[in-house]
Amino acid sequence: MKISLSWIKEFVDLSKISTEEIVSQLTMSGLEVEDVVDQSSLYNNFIVGFVKETEKHPNADKLTVCKVFDGKDDLQVICGAANVKAGQKIVFAPIGTQIPNGNFVIKKAKIRGVESNGMICAEDELLLSDDHSGIMVLDDNFEAGKPITETLNLNDVILEIAITPNRPDALSHIGVARDLAALFDRDLILPEIKADETSEDVNRLASVVIEDEVNCPRYIAKVVKDVQIKESPKWLKDRLEKIGLRPRNNIVDITNLVLHECGQPLHAFDLDKLNDNKIVVKSTKTESTFTTLDSKERKLPLNTLMICDGSREVAIAGVMGGENSEITETTKNILIESAFFHPSSIRKTSKTLGLSTDASYRFERGTDPNITKYAAERCAQLVSELADGKIANGIIDVYPSVITPREIQLRFSRTTKILGYEVAPQKIKNILSRLGLAIKVLDEDKLLVSVPTFRPDIEREIDLIEEIARINGYDNIPTVSKINITLEKKTDETDIDEKIRQTATALGFFEMINNPLQSENEAKLTGKPIKIANPLSADMECLRTSLITGALITISKNIRQGVRDLKLFEIGNSFKRISDEEIRNFSDFTERQNLLLIISGKEEIKGWNTQEKDSDFYLLKGLIDSFLSKISLDNVLIDSYYSTVNEIYAYHLTKSFKETELGRGGKLNDEVLKQFDINQDVYCFEFDLSALKAVRSNPNTYIDPLKYPKIIRDFAFILDKSVKYLDVKEFIKKKSSQLLKAVSVFDVFESDSLGADRKSLAFTLEYYDESRTLTEDEVEKDFNNLIALVTKEFNAQLRGK
Amino acid sequence: MLDKNITEIKESFYTDIKSVSSIKDVEELRIKYFSRNGLVSQLFEDLKDVVKEEKPILGKKLNLLRNEVSAYFEEVKERISSSNSNKENKIDLTLPGKEFIVGSKHILTQTLDEIKSIFKGLGFSVANGPELESDYYNFESLNFPADHPARDMQDTFFVSKEFLLRTHTTPVQIRLMEKQAPPVRAIMPGRVYRNEAVSARSYCMFHQVDGIYVDTDVTFAELKGTLVSFAKQFYGSDLKYRFRPSFFPFTEPSAEMDITCYLCHGKGCKICKNSGWLEILGCGMVDPNVFKFVNYDSEKYTGYAFGMGIERIALLKYGITDIRIFFDNDLRFLKQF
C-alpha cells in the first residue's frame, strides 16, 4: 500500500522528525516499509521542456528529431515516441539526469548518426505509472525550464508499506497516522466536517432495506443533488496519482480519496438510475450474471451479497458497482453508499469471482462499522465543495444491531509474564490511549480497555500485550543470556536417517532431493496416485507413489548433460491412495518414508591401472548388503528372487523381515526406461524406511574375535547351468558338520569344454571352532563327505580329480 | 691457515652431500672434492708450504679427513647407485593414484544438520510429522479461521476439501503437544509445499525448521535470547540483529528476526534490497488459541515458537541465485558439497 507522507502530516504533526526516523519506527512497529520514494531527490534534475520543432529522423522511421527549449537553450533531442509534436510541453531529462526506472544516466549520444542531448520522458520512465504508450504531455501553461518537482508537485515522500492481514485499520492514511501518533506520542488530528445541507429530507429522496442483516450489518446512504460531473481539481488528482491511482471524475475521485483517507470503501450510484430510488441489500437466490462497471459480465454464484434497487441488481456488495447505475457525465443526483459488510461474505465473493478491488480488499479484512457515518458525511462534504452538489438533509442509516466497542481486561503482571520485562503502567496507559483505546483503571494490576471497532484484531488480553510490545519497541525487550535446560532425555526422530545418509555417502552415493509432484503418467507407474485438486501444471498434478520415477527424471536430465555414471540416493516420502473415494481421513491414503538407492552407467571407468566396468545387478546387490550390514540388519532378512519381467523391473529381489517386505529392487525394465528417455541400464533398490526402522536392531553385544586358526578348503564342481548357487550353498551348509562356518563362491566359469549346459562353480569353505584348534582329520572327513553328497545331489562332477 | 681450511672443507663436504640424490650429483661431488684439482687434493698441495714443525700434525689431520670423507662418499655413492638400479627406473611416481568417489549429502541436508546440531545443543529434541496434512493441523488448530485472509499468505495445494500438502512445518507443533504435556522443547524440520509458480526465486516445495518451547515462565525475552544465540552460532558472533513486529495466526505477539546482511555488512546491496538487513526467521509467543486446541492451560504455561526456511539460508550462504538448482540434482552440482 502506498502512503503519501505529506497527506499523513495532515493527521499527525511530524515536524522535526526525519523521514528516516519515520520509516524506521514504522518498520519496527509492524508496518513494514518496503520502499521509500523521495520524489524531491528522485526528480531533482527533471525540468519542463518545450518542443519547438520536430522533423523525421533521416535514418530511422520511428524516431523524431526535436528541438527542445529548456528555458535557456534550444537542444537537439531524439525521441522515439509516436505522440511527440511541436508545441508540446514535456518532461525533459537533461544530460546527466538519472532516470528512476532502470537507474541509468542520460548521456550525450548519437542515435543512428544524429546527436541527442537529453531525453523526453514517458510516465513509466519516471515511475509515475506503468504507462509507456507515449511521452508525458504537460499543461500548456507550464513554463519551460521550471523543475517538475515544483510544477508537478513531485516533492512528497511516498512509502510502500506491507500491511499484515491482522491490521485492516492501517489500510488508510488516518490508520497509519494513528500508529505514528502513538509512536511519537503526538495527537491524532481528524478532518472536521462542516457542510450545509438543503431542507429536503433524504428519506423522501431514497430508501434503504437490508434483507440480509448477517452479511450487511449496517448501510448508510447520503444523497447529493445537482452535482456537476467534471475533472477533479489538480490537488485531488495529484494526491491520487501519488499513491498510484488514476483520476477519473470528481465523484469517483472523491470516493477514492475518502477510502484512502479513512479506510471506508464508498460507492456512488446515479440516483436517477435506481428504480424506485430504492436500495435493497440481499443475497442472490439463484445463479445469475451481472455486468460490473468495467463492462465485464460476471457469473454470480448462489448467496452473493448484492445491492439492488427496486427491481434489479445494481452492485456486487463490497466488490464492484454495476454498469447500469454508474456515474456518467450526465449524472445529476447521486446516492453515496457507506456500508459495513461481513468480511467472510465479501471474501467468498471476491474469491469466487476472482475479483479483488481496493474495496473488497478492505472489507474482507474487516472495516470499521462505526466509521461509515463519518465517511459518508466526509464524502458528501467534498462533493458539495468540488462538484457543486447540494446535500439533502439527514442521513439514511440502517443499523439493526449496533456493534459496540469490545471490553478487555489487561493485567500488568501478565504483560510482564509474557514479555519478560516490566513496562511501566503509566507507559502502558499512554500507549493504549494514543492508539485510540479507552482505558479505565480497575485496580493496581488491572485495566479495563475498551477497544474501538476499527481494531477488530484486538480481541483478547494477549492482543493488547502485543500492542504494548510493538509500540514500546521490541528492541526494549531484553535478550536473556541464560536459559534453563531440562535434564531429561532428548529424542531425535531423524537420527536413523542420519545414519542412513552417512552409510550411503560412504558407499559413494550422492544425495538428491526430487520434486514429489509429478505427472499422472509418472506417478501411476508405481502405485495409485493422489491427485492435486489445484495443480500448478499437468506435469505436477500427482504426488509420487515411489521415489523411482523422480530419480529417473534426474538420471535422464544428467545423461542429457553428459553425466552418465551415477550413484544416487534419496530419502523422501511417497503417497498412495487406498480407495477411490475423496480423501477424508488419514486412513484413506498412505504416506511412507522411502529410501532409494539407484545406480547407472559405469562402476569403474577405464584408467591407466583400472579396467572399465559397467554397473550391474551384483554391484547393486553388494551395495545393498553392505548398506544393511552397517545399519544392523544384514543377517535377519530373507531375500527372494524374481527373474521374470514385471511392470517396473526386468528382474528383481525383495528383502523381508518375517512376513514384512522391507524393500525391493533390481534392473529396471526397458519399457520404463524408454518412458524417461534413458538408453542405458539402471539398477535401483527402494526401501520402505518406515518398515525398516521398525525392525532395525541395534547391536548391544559384540563377538570376540576368533582366537584359534581357521582351516580353509576349496572345491569346484561341474554341474548343470540350471543349478543355482544358493541351492548348492544351502545344501552344503545343511549337510556339513557344525565346524563349517562359512561357504562362499570364488569362481563361476562356463565353457564349451565343460559341455553346453554345464558350468563350473568353485567354493571356499571355512572351518573353525571358537573354543579349540581343529585337527586336519576332522575337517578332511567332513570335506570328503560333502564332495560325495554334492556330486550325488546335483549330478555334479568334482573338478581336478 | 691450512688447519682452518681443513675444517671448512669438511663442513662444506657434509653440507654438499646432503643434497646428493642422483648419480649425476655423485659425480659432481667427486669432481669437486676428489679429482686431481679437487678441494681435498688441493689441501695436500697446500701441505707442502706448511712450516716443518707443523707438517706431521697437519699431515695426520689431513689423512684422517681424507679417509673419513671418502668413506662416507663411497657409502652414499653405493646407496644412490643401488637405489637407482633397483627402483627409480621402474616406478613412475608421478602417475595418478586410484580415484575413490566419496558421496555426499545434499547441501540442504548439510545446512539442516548444522541447524539441528545448534538447537540440540540448546536442549531441543527433533520431531517429524506428515507432509500430507489435514486442514485441522495445517490451519484450524493453528488459529487460521476459515475464510480468513491469513490463509492467503500460504498458497495451498489441496488433495481434497479437508486434506492438503502442508504449507509449513508448524502442524508438527500441534502433533507434539497433543502427545505430551509441557515442558515441550523441540524443533521440527521437514518439507513443505506452496502453490506458487516455479521461478528462480520460488519453488513449489521447500524445507523448513519449526521450533517450539512451552513451559511455565517462558518469555519473549527468552525467545530473543535463544534465537540470538542460534543466529550467532550459525552466522557468526559479531552479527547485529533486530526483531520486528509481524503477524502469524499461531503466535501473539509475533516477530520477524533480521540480521545484518553478511554480504554488504549492513551497507545495503542487491541481496538485502538495499536495507542492510536480511530476514532469517519468523517467531513469536504461542497464541493462547493454539493452547486451547491442545488443552494446555494458557494461564499456567507460556511458550514461544519460530520457523525458518532452509533453502533461503543455503541460497544466501553459497550465493546461489536460482533456487531450482537444489532440485535439478545435477551431479556436477551435488558433488561440490
Side-chain angles (χ1 to χ4, degrees), chain A residues 268-288:
Chain A
F269 292 101
D270 186 329
L271 181 60
D272 301 315
K273 290 178 189 162
L274 296 178
N275 292 326
D276 309 332
N277 295 337
K278 193 176 176 184
I279 290 287
V280 182
V281 189
K282 60 182 177 188
S283 294
T284 52
K285 298 283 179 288
T286 53
E287 284 179 24
S288 55

Side-chain angles (χ1 to χ4, degrees), chain A residues 425-443:
Chain A
Q426 192 47 49
K427 184 112 200 201
I428 291 179
K429 289 185 215 163
N430 195 44
I431 288 171
L432 297 178
S433 312
R434 285 291 187 202
L435 288 171
L437 282 56
I439 48 174
K440 201 169 111 189
V441 177
L442 292 179
D443 61 36

Side-chain angles (χ1 to χ4, degrees), chain A residues 549-598:
Chain A
T549 40
L552 288 177
I553 296 170
T554 285
I555 288 181
S556 177
K557 274 194 287 190
N558 271 288
I559 290 175
R560 256 179 283 143
Q561 296 298 329
V563 183
R564 312 186 77 95
D565 306 326
L566 299 155
K567 245 166 125 180
L568 301 163
F569 81 101
E570 179 171 22
I571 295 179
N573 295 5
S574 65
F575 309 81
K576 281 179 188 157
R577 178 179 274 291
I578 288 174
S579 76
D580 290 329
E581 303 291 303
E582 154 138 351
I583 289 171
R584 288 203 179 82
N585 258 303
F586 284 96
S587 56
D588 294 336
F589 64 91
T590 59
E591 175 174 349
R592 306 291 289 183
Q593 194 190 26
N594 294 99
L595 161 69
L596 179 78
L597 296 140
I598 191 161

Side-chain angles (χ1 to χ4, degrees), chain A residues 19-32:
Chain A
T19 303
E20 289 72 32
E21 181 65 8
I22 292 168
V23 166
S24 151
Q25 285 289 328
L26 282 173
T27 296
M28 292 305 285
S29 65
L31 303 183
E32 190 186 357

Side-chain angles (χ1 to χ4, degrees), chain A residues 27-30 32 164-166 344 347-348 351 364-365 411 414 416-420 460-463 465-466 469-470 474-480 483-486 488-494 497-498 501-502 505-517 530-536 540 543-544 554 557-558 561 563 565-566 568-573 575 577 582-586 589 591 604-605 608-610 693, chain B residues 95-96 98 101-106 108-109 113 116 120-128 130-134 137 147-153 156-163 165 175 179 183 185 189 191 193 195-198 203-205 207 213 215 217-222 224-226 228 241-247 252-256 285 287-289 298-302 326-332 334-335:
Chain A
T27 296
M28 292 305 285
S29 65
E32 190 186 357
T164 50
N166 60 324
S344 71
R347 180 176 151 86
K348 258 185 227 160
K351 278 234 138 183
E364 68 178 29
R365 277 161 175 73
R411 290 163 294 174
R414 182 75 184 170
T416 308
K417 188 175 158 76
I418 296 285
L419 301 181
R460 306 154 301 168
E461 186 182 37
I462 191 74
D463 302 318
I465 294 172
E466 179 177 53
R470 83 179 173 89
Y474 282 9
D475 279 348
N476 286 323
I477 300 174
T479 303
V480 300
I483 60 166
N484 293 319
I485 295 182
T486 39
E488 54 199 72
K489 188 173 179 282
K490 303 292 179 293
T491 54
D492 183 350
E493 293 176 5
T494 63
D497 301 354
E498 275 323 294
R501 285 192 173 94
Q502 267 176 28
T505 53
L507 289 168
F509 287 88
F510 289 89
E511 184 180 18
M512 45 179 179
I513 296 180
N514 287 304
N515 184 359
L517 297 171
I530 297 165
K531 272 191 148 185
I532 306 294
N534 53 337
L536 272 171
M540 288 197 249
L543 279 164
R544 63 183 174 197
T554 285
K557 274 194 287 190
N558 271 288
Q561 296 298 329
V563 183
D565 306 326
L566 299 155
L568 301 163
F569 81 101
E570 179 171 22
I571 295 179
N573 295 5
F575 309 81
R577 178 179 274 291
E582 154 138 351
I583 289 171
R584 288 203 179 82
N585 258 303
F586 284 96
F589 64 91
E591 175 174 349
E604 190 84 68
I605 54 165
W608 69 272
N609 61 347
T610 50
K693 282 178 184 175
Chain B
L95 279 169
K98 170 149 171 54
I101 292 174
V102 181
S104 56
K105 294 193 242 183
H106 196 281
L108 294 176
T109 307
D113 284 351
K116 262 202 289 203
K120 283 168 95 167
L122 291 169
F124 284 76
S125 287
V126 185
N128 265 333
E131 291 171 22
L132 187 46
E133 261 295 6
S134 64
Y137 284 108
D147 285 321
H148 194 275
R151 291 195 176 204
D152 290 350
M153 291 163 79
T156 312
F157 285 118
F158 289 94
V159 303
S160 68
K161 212 167 160 252
E162 288 146 66
F163 277 78
L165 292 173
R175 291 178 170 275
K179 271 191 284 189
R185 176 157 25 198
R191 182 167 300 172
Y193 300 80
N195 194 342
E196 286 169 4
V198 173
Y203 202 73
C204 50
M205 64 113 174
H207 299 79
Y213 176 40
D215 203 345
D217 303 320
V218 179
T219 65
F220 201 113
E222 180 163 351
K224 279 181 74 176
T226 308
V228 168
Y241 60 86
R242 68 178 191 186
F243 287 81
R244 263 183 304 112
S246 187
F247 168 71
E252 186 85 4
S254 304
E256 271 167 349
M285 301 301 290
D287 195 292
N289 283 358
S298 62
E299 276 296 303
K300 188 172 168 194
Y301 297 109
T302 51
F326 290 131
F327 312 112
D328 271 348
N329 300 305
D330 186 320
L331 191 66
R332 295 166 300 177
L334 301 179
K335 268 187 170 171

Side-chain angles (χ1 to χ4, degrees), chain A residues 328-467:
Chain A
T328 60
E329 280 169 27
T330 57
T331 299
K332 281 274 158 265
N333 306 310
I334 62 165
L335 180 144
I336 301 162
E337 164 198 290
S338 179
F340 174 66
F341 300 117
H342 198 278
S344 71
S345 159
I346 303 304
R347 180 176 151 86
K348 258 185 227 160
T349 307
S350 163
K351 278 234 138 183
T352 25
L353 294 179
L355 178 61
S356 178
T357 59
D358 272 355
S360 71
Y361 189 81
R362 283 166 177 77
F363 280 125
E364 68 178 29
R365 277 161 175 73
T367 53
D368 177 9
N370 293 328
I371 202 167
T372 43
K373 183 159 178 278
Y374 166 90
E377 285 174 343
R378 171 89 172 126
C379 180
Q381 173 204 9
L382 288 167
V383 171
S384 88
E385 283 171 18
L386 306 178
D388 312 319
K390 295 174 183 64
I391 307 171
N393 185 28
I395 197 161
I396 302 173
D397 184 359
V398 186
Y399 196 9
S401 31
V402 174
I403 301 163
T404 52
R406 189 181 278 122
E407 291 198 325
I408 305 169
Q409 286 194 10
L410 172 76
R411 290 163 294 174
F412 300 133
S413 57
R414 182 75 184 170
T415 310
T416 308
K417 188 175 158 76
I418 296 285
L419 301 181
Y421 81 120
E422 195 187 335
V423 185
Q426 192 47 49
K427 184 112 200 201
I428 291 179
K429 289 185 215 163
N430 195 44
I431 288 171
L432 297 178
S433 312
R434 285 291 187 202
L435 288 171
L437 282 56
I439 48 174
K440 201 169 111 189
V441 177
L442 292 179
D443 61 36
E444 261 185 13
D445 188 42
K446 270 193 221 119
L447 291 181
L448 184 67
V449 182
S450 167
V451 183
T453 45
F454 60 75
R455 288 301 300 266
D457 60 314
I458 303 179
E459 296 175 308
R460 306 154 301 168
E461 186 182 37
I462 191 74
D463 302 318
L464 291 170
I465 294 172
E466 179 177 53
E467 291 304 301

